Amino acid sequence: EMTMDIIDILKDMFPAQIAVQSFDSKVIKAIKRKNIQKTQINELIKRYHDKGLIVSTDILFVCSAETLQSHYDTLMTCFNLDYDIVSINNIRMLPGTEIEQDESRKKYGFETKYRFIPNSYGKYDGKFVFEIEEAIVASNTMTEKEMNELKTLHFLIQFLWNSSFAINILRIGNDYGFNPVDVILNIQQTKSNHEVAEILNSLRWESEKEWFSSEESLMQFY
């Protein structure tokens, strides 16, 4: 109830947010998180919508113990709950956090790479300065190829759902049992529409090329 009151006060500043990271029980246990019940989330979203508010969530990947299917299932649940914005982000290895420690890296088989952080750069005293992040690109339950392939799915979710370009037709499809994830995966795998295929192939190429094996090789490149 307190959260509802806060959202009422700040509703003109940002969407209502119910972040979950994942809906998979194994993943939730591995990352030591506990979500509120889906029925509670569903009720909250309905109440926010009744107030005319947009509702968003945050999903992270590649999580500990996460598989490709568990990630799909999490996204499907988000759409079934009728979130307006499903924000999906790579896990950044922040120094000092548990997931960044050697024990977690070994236990879950985390493989990491480095990339340039968009919009985190500038020229100061004549010197080009930018920030770098180390992020998980694979684990013992998800391959790097699968992770890179997810980037096109996430792009299409951002474009078709979050940006509202096709949200209405996707919602109608969902009402008839066609989850947006299934629809978008079908679009993602298209070969008959050459323009769409070319855009997605370009995105795949960019997704793979943004990663570097070391900070040194990234800094040398930029």
Side-chain angles (χ1 to χ4, degrees), residues 192-204:
S192 57
N193 188 314
H194 298 298
E195 290 183 346
V196 172
E198 185 177 345
I199 291 169
L200 296 181
N201 285 334
S202 175
L203 186 66
R204 291 185 184 97

Side-chain angles (χ1 to χ4, degrees), residues 46-196:
K46 286 181 178 178
R47 290 175 67 182
Y48 286 139
H49 282 165
D50 287 342
K51 291 175 177 287
L53 296 172
I54 292 172
V55 188
S56 70
T57 191
D58 282 326
I59 302 299
L60 295 177
F61 81 112
V62 178
C63 284
S64 311
E66 183 174 57
T67 65
L68 189 63
Q69 188 58 51
S70 72
H71 185 68
Y72 287 158
D73 291 343
T74 287
L75 295 175
M76 287 180 176
T77 301
C78 288
F79 293 122
N80 287 335
L81 289 170
D82 204 22
Y83 277 105
D84 302 291
I85 297 174
V86 181
S87 179
I88 313 161
N89 297 286
N90 289 87
I91 294 178
R92 185 179 297 172
M93 299 297 256
L94 299 175
T97 57
E98 184 173 325
I99 201 170
E100 187 265 345
Q101 303 301 307
D102 290 341
E103 183 179 348
S104 293
R105 291 173 186 255
K106 183 177 180 180
K107 181 178 180 179
Y108 296 106
F110 290 140
E111 297 176 22
T112 65
K113 286 186 177 180
Y114 300 84
R115 69 178 177 183
F116 178 95
I117 302 178
N119 302 320
S120 297
Y121 63 91
K123 199 168 187 178
Y124 303 95
D125 295 329
K127 184 178 181 181
F128 180 44
V129 178
F130 55 89
E131 290 196 66
I132 298 170
E133 70 173 353
E134 179 190 13
I136 301 170
V137 296
S139 69
N140 52 21
T141 52
M142 183 179 291
T143 66
E144 185 174 353
K145 182 179 179 181
E146 289 173 330
M147 185 280 297
N148 277 321
E149 191 64 21
L150 282 172
K151 296 299 286 293
T152 53
L153 171 66
H154 298 162
F155 164 77
L156 289 170
I157 288 173
Q158 174 64 29
F159 176 54
L160 299 174
W161 187 273
N162 294 348
S163 298
S164 299
F165 185 79
I167 191 170
N168 290 332
I169 195 168
L170 288 173
R171 276 182 167 146
I172 292 170
N174 203 30
D175 289 341
Y176 283 89
F178 299 97
N179 191 282
V181 170
D182 291 325
V183 176
I184 292 171
L185 283 174
N186 192 274
I187 295 171
Q188 182 183 351
Q189 295 161 5
T190 185
K191 293 181 180 178
S192 57
N193 188 314
H194 298 298
E195 290 183 346
V196 172

